[in-house]
Amino acid sequence: MSSVFAGARKRLQNLGKLTGISIPVIESLSRPKATHCASLPIRMDDGSTQYFDAYRCQYSAHLGPCKGGIRFHQKVTQDEVQALALWMTIKCAVVDLPYGGAKGGVTVDPKGLSRMELERLSRAYMRAMADFVGPDKDIPAPDVYTNARIMGWMRDEFEVIKRQKEPAVITGKPVNLGGSLGREEATGRGAFLVTEFLRSKEGLATEDIRVAVQGFGNAGYNIAKLLFDAGYKIIAISDSKGAICDEAGLDVDRVKEFKDQFRSFGSDYCERSVCESVTHKTITHEELLALDVELLVPAALENAITSKNVNDIKAKWITEVANGPISAAADDVLHDRGVVIIPDVLANSGGVIVSYFEWVQNRAGYPWTLEEVRSRMQERLKASFDEMWLYQHKSENTSLRTAAYAKALKKLEQVINMRGTKEYFSNIEN
Ligand code: NAD
C-alpha cells in the first residue's frame, strides 16, 4: 500500500525546493518531532476486552503548541496520522495561527461500538495521551468520526486526571462545556467562503455552478448547505455507503433531514445513507467524482483523486475540504489541465481557525458571539486567500497550493533559523 506520509513529505520537499527554502529547513520539516503510540484495552459491553491501536503525532511545535484533530476510523495508521499532522503544520502557518501541527487517531470502526464503548474508548485515548497534551503543549479537536460529544468526554477525562479545570485542552467541545459558537459549522463555512472568493474573481453566477460533494459529514454537509442556500446547484452527494445524483439539483436540507431522521439512538453515528433519501438516481462513488460539474468538493478521506482516476475528472474547480484528497501526481495533471484547486491547507482551515478562537475564549474566560466568530474567521480567510491569489498571479505557471506552501514554509524557515545557531557557522551553505 502506498504511504500517505511519503506522498505528503515528497510534496513538502518538492514545493520547498521550488520556493527556495533551505535544505536543512526542508530536512527538519520532513520528520515528526514525536509520535506517541498506545494500545487501548477496552471493556466491551459483553464483558470481553478488545485492544485498539492509538496514535498522537506532534509534528512541529515551531510556531506554538501543537494542534490537530483526532480521527476514529478503521483505516487509521501511524503513517496516515503523520501525514495529517504534517498538513496541520502547514495549515496553521498558512492562516497565521500561533500553533504547530499534530494529529491523532484510533484504528477502530466506531459505528460498530455502542455509545458506552465509544465513551470508554474516548476516555482511554485521553488517559493514554494525557502526559503529552495540554493547553500549552498540544490541543486536540474533532476529525473524521469524532464530534463535540467525544471532545466533551475527553476534556472531562483530562480534568479528572489533572484535578483541575482545563477547558482549553481540547477544542470542538459542546458549547455548554466551553465550546465556541460557530465551531461545528466552521470547516464547511470556511470552505464555502474561499469558494465564494474564487467565484467572485472568476465572475460566475452561483446558478451556473453545478456541484458534486463527496462526503456528507460535518464538513461536507456544512459546505453543501451554504452553497445550496447561496444558489449553487448541488447535483450529487455521497457518503461512505453510496452516491446520489439529480441533474435538476438536490435539496440539501431534505437529504440532511432524511439522514438525521434515521440517526440511531444506540450510537452517535448516522446509520442510514444518502442513497435512501429524496428523488434521485443512484450512482457509484467513482461516477460522482467524474461528473461534468463546475465545482467538485471532496470532503471525505485522502487520495480520492489519484493517477488512476485523474483523467476522468471533468470539474473546472476543486475545493479540497478533506485533507489530502488529491495525490501529488494527480495534482500535477490537474494543474497542467488548468483546473483551479483551492488547497486543503487553506480550504478547510476554517475548522482550526475557530478552534483557535475557542482556545482564546477558554483562556480569557470570555465567550464571543456567533457574529464575532464568523466575521473574524471571514477576515482571516479573506486575507489569506488574497495573499495566495496575488502570489499565484505574480508568478508564472504556479498554483494556489504552491502559494500556500511558499508562505507557510517561509514562515517556518524564519522561526527555525531564529531559534537555532546556524549563523555561527558561516562556512556552511544552505
Ligand atoms: P465526518 O466523520 O463528519 O464525515 C465523514 C463523511 O465522509 C461521512 O459522511 C462519511 O460517510 C463520508 N465518507 C467516508 N468514506 C467515504 C467515501 N469513500 N466516499 C464518500 N463519502 C465517504 O468527518 P468530517 O469532520 O466531515 O471530515 C471530513 C474531511 O474533512 C476529513 O478529511 C477531515 O480530515 C477534513 N477536515 C475536517 C475538519 C473538521 O473540523 N471536522 C477540519 C478540517 C478538515
Side-chain angles (χ1 to χ4, degrees), residues 71-73 84 88 91 103 111 141-146 183-184 186-188 213-221 238-242 259 269 285 298-302 321-325 344 348-352 355:
R71 178 174 292 195
F72 285 179
H73 193 273
L84 290 161
M88 282 304 298
K91 193 186 306 179
K103 204 80 179 192
K111 292 183 191 168
D143 190 71
V144 173
Y145 294 147
T146 55
R183 174 60 185 88
E184 190 97 8
T187 304
V213 182
Q214 182 210 33
F216 200 60
N218 172 298
Y221 159 67
S238 66
D239 62 14
S240 59
K241 293 183 184 156
K259 274 202 78 142
Y269 302 101
H285 283 125
L301 299 171
E302 305 86 65
V321 174
N323 285 303
D344 49 4
N348 69 30
S349 65
V352 70
S355 271

Side-chain angles (χ1 to χ4, degrees), residues 173-391:
K173 301 176 293 287
V175 172
N176 57 13
L177 269 187
S180 175
L181 292 171
R183 174 60 185 88
E184 190 97 8
E185 64 167 25
T187 304
R189 176 170 288 277
F192 164 72
L193 289 171
V194 292
T195 306
E196 277 287 271
F197 302 152
L198 174 65
R199 187 180 69 79
S200 77
K201 299 276 184 204
E202 302 274 346
L204 277 190
T206 55
E207 57 274 22
D208 294 333
I209 303 180
R210 291 164 302 159
V211 189
V213 182
Q214 182 210 33
F216 200 60
N218 172 298
Y221 159 67
N222 278 295
I223 185 173
K225 160 85 179 140
L226 288 163
L227 291 169
F228 175 70
D229 289 348
Y232 291 69
K233 199 192 247 189
I234 314 295
I235 67 161
I237 296 177
S238 66
D239 62 14
S240 59
K241 293 183 184 156
I244 58 174
C245 176
D246 186 349
E247 290 292 340
L250 292 160
D251 181 330
V252 172
D253 293 324
R254 295 227 29 231
V255 178
K256 175 76 164 105
E257 233 171 69
F258 187 89
K259 274 202 78 142
D260 285 352
Q261 190 186 340
F262 291 99
R263 190 176 285 270
S264 150
F265 291 111
S267 115
D268 263 352
Y269 302 101
C270 180
E271 297 294 319
R272 300 290 282 265
S273 167
V274 293
C275 297
E276 294 165 62
S277 54
V278 300
T279 325
H280 65 271
K281 179 171 87 185
T282 304
I283 56 172
T284 64
H285 283 125
E286 295 72 30
E287 283 168 341
L288 178 135
L289 295 171
L291 284 171
D292 183 12
V293 288
E294 280 66 43
L295 173 64
L296 177 61
V297 180
L301 299 171
E302 305 86 65
N303 285 338
I305 303 171
T306 63
S307 312
K308 283 192 192 141
N309 61 350
V310 67
N311 291 325
D312 301 332
I313 305 298
K314 299 179 194 70
K316 321 275 176 304
W317 304 343
I318 300 178
T319 300
E320 286 188 329
V321 174
N323 285 303
I326 304 177
S327 74
D331 199 29
D332 291 342
V333 176
L334 293 169
H335 177 63
D336 290 346
R337 279 208 339 241
V339 177
V340 181
I341 299 170
I342 309 182
D344 49 4
V345 289
L346 176 65
N348 69 30
S349 65
V352 70
I353 292 174
V354 178
S355 271
Y356 165 60
F357 295 164
E358 181 173 324
W359 180 79
V360 168
Q361 293 170 69
N362 291 157
R363 306 197 93 183
Y366 190 87
W368 303 358
T369 63
L370 181 60
E371 203 30 63
E372 279 173 299
V373 169
R374 284 180 174 172
S375 68
R376 287 181 186 180
M377 173 172 75
Q378 174 152 353
E379 209 175 283
R380 211 170 254 270
L381 281 172
K382 180 82 173 77
S384 296
F385 181 88
D386 286 347
E387 202 179 338
M388 314 289 104
W389 190 260
L390 194 68
Y391 180 103

Side-chain angles (χ1 to χ4, degrees), residues 120-151:
R120 281 181 220 124
L121 183 75
S122 306
R123 289 181 180 277
Y125 182 87
M126 186 47 99
R127 279 197 300 281
M129 302 300 171
D131 286 341
F132 313 118
V133 302
D136 290 308
K137 289 188 198 169
D138 179 6
I139 308 119
D143 190 71
V144 173
Y145 294 147
T146 55
N147 55 22
R149 173 180 282 270
I150 292 173
M151 298 304 109

Side-chain angles (χ1 to χ4, degrees), residues 33-74:
K33 180 165 111 62
T35 304
H36 308 285
C37 303
S39 180
L40 309 180
I42 303 300
R43 176 77 63 211
M44 307 306 281
D45 290 348
D46 65 2
S48 66
T49 302
Q50 281 187 27
Y51 296 85
F52 298 93
D53 292 334
Y55 307 95
R56 183 76 189 163
C57 172
Q58 294 167 333
Y59 201 90
S60 150
H62 294 106
L63 298 177
C66 301
K67 184 91 189 81
I70 300 170
R71 178 174 292 195
F72 285 179
H73 193 273
Q74 57 275 23

